[in-house]
Amino acid sequence: ATPFRSSGLNEGGTLPNLPNIRAAVIVPGFLTGKSEFEPLAASLTSKGIPTVVVPMGNWHWLPCLGGRSMRPMLERIDFTVRHLAAVAGNLGDFERVSQEGLEKSLEVALNSPEAGQVMTRKKVELMKEDTTKINTKQSDPQLLIPDFSYNIFDCWQDFRNNPGGVLKVGGSAEVEEYPLWVPKGSFPEAPEPMGKVALIGHSAGGWICRAYLSSRNYGGKKYNGHELVHSLITLGSPHGNAPGPAFKGVEWVNREDLTSYGVRALAVGGTGYKGDSSGTLTKNSYAFCCPIGTDGSQYDGDGVTPIESALAMKQVMPDSDEMLLDDVGHFCWSDVFGGETLAPELTQFHKDGRPWYGDDDIVEKWGGWL
């Protein structure tokens, strides 16, 4: 089918044209959360791209199990993007404000009631150390994103009612046939946006970002994320159509060319993890992402997403960019709880020093695209 193309940059939207801001939101991949991606956010922030992570725990994914609607994730993406876009005009001043805060703190300390006493070198160094800690907090953009309310009871309600998936909750696994349903959670409203930001989606987070950017109705809501986002980077995301309910959402996003909204897009994939020699998880994951009749053994990729799927966005969005990184893995397996149990081979590879998308020198390669 021919991909849908919008007729204008703000079709269905109400926001004015906003300036592009060099700041980003990271969307964690399936069954991961904020904590796993804080080091990546810190790396990008240190490189001059103030970056935050969608503030969610990995358990927030539970209502989406079995290929069901991604409305719960889309609500969290929308919440984070809107709050970052609302403060985007201040992000460029982070370094200056923080440095001024440090200098002012030292000046206050040196002119404190202890004036007249000789300040020892040790005392001054201790004050510098304290104010550096303050400076670090001031320059952490994650602190600009408020908390939202979501508890285990909300999660249970969402788990029961979230439509689609293998069980066809609500009557169908097709996105167009999802019944109207609003996920639980209390999300503080953001002020008016001051600029557009970038989205960085890891693994499943990448194709879900594409749903967020769309002006089409997804499960009862048009998110119109293109009005607040100027660029999209996907890291090891499955963009290719494949069988099963889990890929109904991918099929849905593959009916639209998002670059027609004016959004730049880059799909990043990794190589070096062969399906026949990287462990059971890799072989099964490659088979899951590819057509019926394949067992995954003949594919190469990042250990979870095969190259063909990671770069398939180009087929739908011909104006998008792609980047293939040699010997780069999907995730920081040895840094997270349960890595050795879920993916023992991939965990050992990571322990042995093989990089993943979030390692500093790898971030330099794709982060420069922003």
Side-chain angles (χ1 to χ4, degrees), residues 150-298:
Y150 189 74
N151 58 46
I152 194 64
F153 301 106
D154 294 330
C155 184
W156 171 243
Q157 289 295 317
D158 284 349
F159 184 79
R160 291 182 58 193
N161 300 310
N162 194 21
V166 176
L167 299 179
K168 298 182 179 180
V169 178
S172 176
E174 300 295 333
V175 174
E176 293 86 349
E177 298 174 10
Y178 287 165
L180 178 61
W181 168 76
V182 179
K184 296 291 185 179
S186 178
F187 300 86
E189 187 174 350
E192 288 298 310
M194 299 173 65
K196 293 184 178 183
V197 299
L199 269 179
I200 301 169
H202 176 256
S203 198
W207 76 257
I208 297 169
C209 285
R210 292 170 61 193
Y212 173 69
L213 296 173
S214 179
S215 64
R216 293 180 294 152
N217 186 310
Y218 184 100
K221 185 171 181 177
K222 298 178 181 180
Y223 285 91
N224 289 310
H226 62 275
E227 296 182 334
L228 296 171
V229 174
H230 59 73
S231 302
L232 168 67
I233 295 178
T234 67
L235 306 173
S237 298
H239 293 298
N241 291 346
F247 281 85
K248 292 299 183 182
V250 177
E251 290 178 13
W252 188 85
V253 298
N254 279 340
R255 299 186 189 121
E256 183 173 21
D257 180 359
L258 295 170
T259 58
S260 62
Y261 294 120
V263 177
R264 300 167 64 236
L266 170 68
V268 182
T271 71
Y273 293 79
K274 305 290 186 180
D276 59 0
S277 58
S278 300
T280 302
L281 177 69
T282 295
K283 185 177 178 180
N284 290 343
S285 181
Y286 289 176
F288 183 64
C289 293
C290 295
I292 289 177
T294 59
D295 66 359
S297 61
Q298 70 271 43

Side-chain angles (χ1 to χ4, degrees), residues 257 259 264-267 313-322:
D257 180 359
T259 58
R264 300 167 64 236
L266 170 68
M313 186 168 67
K314 186 82 170 177
Q315 299 171 14
V316 181
M317 300 164 56
D319 293 333
S320 64
D321 297 319
E322 55 187 29

Side-chain angles (χ1 to χ4, degrees), residues 69-105:
S69 169
M70 291 298 164
R71 275 289 307 272
M73 296 302 108
L74 291 168
E75 291 295 309
R76 286 152 177 75
I77 295 170
D78 188 48
F79 164 79
T80 311
V81 166
R82 288 186 178 279
H83 277 279
L84 186 61
V87 297
N90 297 323
L91 291 173
D93 281 345
F94 255 36
E95 270 190 42
R96 178 185 61 77
V97 170
S98 299
Q99 184 61 32
E100 286 179 355
L102 173 60
E103 292 170 355
K104 185 174 181 180
S105 297

Side-chain angles (χ1 to χ4, degrees), residues 3 35-36 55 61 96 111 132 161 200 220 238 253 277 324 331 338 352:
S35 62
E36 290 94 331
W61 285 96
R96 178 185 61 77
N111 293 284
T132 298
N161 300 310
I200 301 169
V253 298
S277 58
L324 195 57
F331 193 51
D352 293 341

